[in-house]
Amino acid sequence: MTMTIGLAGKPNAGKSTFFKAATLADVEIANYPFTTINANRGVTYVRTTCPCTEKGKPCGKCNNGVRYVPIEIIDVAGLVPDAHKGRGLGNAFLDELRQAQAIIHVIDASGSTDIEGNPGDIDSHDPLVDVDFLNHEITMWMAGILNRNWLRLARKIKAEGLKPEQAIAGQLMGAGVCESDVHRALCQYKDDNYEKWGENELVELCEHIRTLSKPIMIAANKMDIAPPKNLKKLSELDLIVVPTSAAAELALRNAAKQKLIDYIPGNEDFNIISEDLDEKQKRGLESLKAFMRAHRPNGCGVQECIDKAVFELLDLIVVYPVEDETHWTDTNENMLPDAYLMKRGSTAHDLAYRVHTDIGKAFLYAVDGRTKMRLGEKHELQDGDVIKIVSTAR
């Protein structure tokens, strides 16, 4: 796995419930701030259509044509105002987020927790306030790192003729920022007299860097109890927003694990398969069915949220490398053994390097598993491609 998604937000927004629903990991969930102190790490999956359906036989890696590609997910400590100054568990929170390629900001859409995560009445807090608050904390965290050594760094850039993006990225490496992100952010500025830049300029620069290096989407959680006006306000943001009920999703996945229901994460319905249910279980499952019907086609939203983080926010595609382009198998005759997440616009040569560095270095050409056409190194891959790589590497 090379993909990591971070779950962020204030305490009591439902991050740990979302994490547990997405991974079925054993984590503590409680109705008080800072339940999560050390970050929870687990494996979740993005959902896509498996190409084996075109072959008319199952590959053994999917569930009725639904393929799940593993990614890492991190549930970090809850965030409170001034976390970038070390308040609450802020330093731990921000340090864990550096590893994430994208962030799902879990918002309490019900408005039943204040800005610091303390429980209150439904609709006693405006969830829109929480959206800007996370962005501000991450920006100020980055700006604080730069501000500590900025004058010395600016003089070094000028004196030694360094590339500013390289020098700045070096300072922000611990925040998970790469050189290309800094370069794109600096393109917004004509003034390159960095020695005269003050705190305001650094905050503005870090705001640009944050949007590039830590793209954020919203999980409007607790939609089952959220006032409709709150969900409407959140949906009108210029962000990807997915209404979710992590608690309902967790109940469904636990029921499926216990073989009470047949449920594929991301589906809009489920089937009850157990005949040994007590009255309480029957009522609970019927209540979940009614909830799912009321929120079609999105269901509980957790799987949709993860999928959109990967396929829309990060704009990734799924590609399947194989050894045999006719049968779509590896050398052991396993059909479609691997599924790789690649940035849209990646080439056949990029895939070769992802499979193995030596294969990338010795790349000759690729073969499209559907058309059997030979593909050059600059051929742009498409979502769902089945590709054979031919190289001189052994």
Side-chain angles (χ1 to χ4, degrees):
M1 290 180 298
T2 58
M3 172 58 52
T4 301
I5 300 294
L7 293 179
K10 69 185 184 185
N12 269 333
K15 292 185 291 81
S16 293
T17 305
F18 189 112
F19 176 85
K20 189 166 185 175
T23 63
L24 284 185
D26 186 17
V27 300
E28 184 179 0
I29 299 171
N31 191 30
Y32 55 82
F34 305 122
T35 307
T36 302
I37 296 177
N38 297 314
N40 296 310
R41 295 172 177 273
V43 176
T44 189
Y45 300 85
V46 290
R47 173 176 168 152
T48 189
T49 301
C50 187
C52 74
T53 56
E54 301 171 36
K55 288 291 189 182
K57 66 175 185 177
C59 64
K61 302 283 186 181
C62 66
N63 188 343
N64 293 323
V66 177
R67 182 82 174 231
Y68 288 95
V69 184
I71 62 171
E72 184 182 36
I73 189 167
I74 304 175
D75 165 31
V76 300
L79 182 72
V80 296
D82 289 336
H84 67 279
K85 297 178 181 178
R87 190 164 174 269
L89 299 173
N91 289 331
F93 159 86
L94 294 165
D95 184 59
E96 292 291 350
L97 269 192
R98 66 185 169 80
Q99 302 163 70
Q101 282 81 49
I103 299 169
I104 297 174
H105 185 185
V106 182
I107 296 281
D108 176 5
S110 74
S112 61
T113 47
D114 68 17
I115 192 68
E116 299 201 359
N118 299 303
D121 296 329
I122 290 176
D123 206 21
S124 61
H125 176 73
D126 185 356
L128 287 182
V129 174
D130 300 339
V131 177
D132 292 335
F133 146 67
L134 173 64
N135 298 342
H136 175 74
E137 290 299 330
I138 297 174
T139 295
M140 295 305 293
W141 169 53
M142 292 181 178
I145 294 172
L146 277 188
N147 200 35
R148 285 195 292 269
N149 300 300
W150 179 251
L151 187 57
R152 187 191 313 162
L153 183 67
R155 288 171 176 168
K156 188 175 182 180
I157 290 171
K158 185 176 181 179
E160 299 181 18
L162 300 176
K163 289 183 178 179
E165 59 266 34
Q166 186 176 33
I168 294 170
Q171 291 292 302
L172 293 176
M173 188 181 303
V177 173
C178 66
E179 190 175 320
S180 62
D181 295 330
V182 179
H183 174 74
R184 289 169 64 192
L186 287 172
C187 287
Q188 309 284 328
Y189 300 91
K190 293 181 180 179
D191 179 14
D192 61 356
N193 191 1
Y194 302 119
E195 290 181 66
K196 293 186 178 180
W197 280 23
E199 186 176 347
N200 290 340
E201 288 81 5
L202 292 182
V203 169
E204 185 180 338
L205 173 64
C206 288
E207 179 69 11
H208 289 305
I209 294 173
R210 177 192 61 77
T211 60
L212 295 167
S213 66
K214 294 286 181 283
I216 296 174
M217 64 172 290
I218 302 295
N221 198 34
K222 306 184 185 180
M223 69 171 176
D224 46 322
I225 59 172
K229 67 181 179 67
N230 284 3
L231 293 172
K232 185 175 186 298
K233 285 193 297 184
L234 288 167
S235 70
E236 291 170 350
L237 293 171
D238 188 23
L239 293 167
I240 299 172
V241 179
V242 178
T244 62
S245 175
E249 181 71 19
L250 178 57
L252 286 171
R253 296 204 188 191
N254 277 331
K257 185 179 180 181
Q258 296 169 35
K259 301 192 183 304
L260 303 180
I261 64 173
D262 180 17
Y263 172 63
I264 298 177
N267 278 10
E268 61 184 46
D269 203 354
F270 62 90
N271 296 315
I272 298 174
I273 57 175
S274 174
E275 297 180 358
D276 300 320
L277 299 175
D278 58 34
E279 286 303 315
K280 184 178 179 181
Q281 288 173 319
K282 288 178 183 178
R283 286 195 303 270
L285 290 175
E286 287 302 327
S287 176
L288 282 171
K289 264 193 170 293
F291 176 81
M292 298 283 281
R293 283 194 293 267
H295 294 89
R296 285 178 177 169
N298 302 323
C300 299
V302 170
Q303 187 63 53
E304 180 188 0
C305 204
I306 295 166
D307 293 345
K308 285 193 173 184
V310 172
F311 297 130
E312 291 188 29
L313 188 64
L314 291 172
D315 198 22
L316 303 186
I317 61 174
V318 183
V319 184
Y320 303 84
V322 296
E323 294 278 353
D324 184 329
E325 70 272 29
T326 300
H327 300 98
W328 296 359
T329 57
D330 62 12
T331 53
N332 296 318
E333 299 186 358
N334 297 308
M335 187 177 182
L336 297 169
D338 298 305
Y340 285 13
L341 289 165
M342 306 281 293
K343 188 72 177 175
R344 190 177 299 278
S346 295
T347 65
H349 203 179
D350 293 329
L351 176 62
Y353 271 105
R354 276 290 303 278
V355 173
H356 198 283
T357 302
D358 291 344
I359 293 175
K361 290 178 179 178
F363 176 88
L364 293 176
Y365 60 90
V367 179
D368 187 310
R370 291 184 176 87
T371 66
K372 307 302 182 289
M373 290 181 60
R374 181 180 290 200
L375 310 173
E377 65 176 353
K378 295 183 180 180
H379 175 81
E380 186 173 313
L381 301 171
Q382 302 299 315
D383 188 39
D385 273 355
V386 180
I387 302 291
K388 175 182 179 177
I389 301 295
V390 179
S391 78
T392 58
R394 294 185 178 179

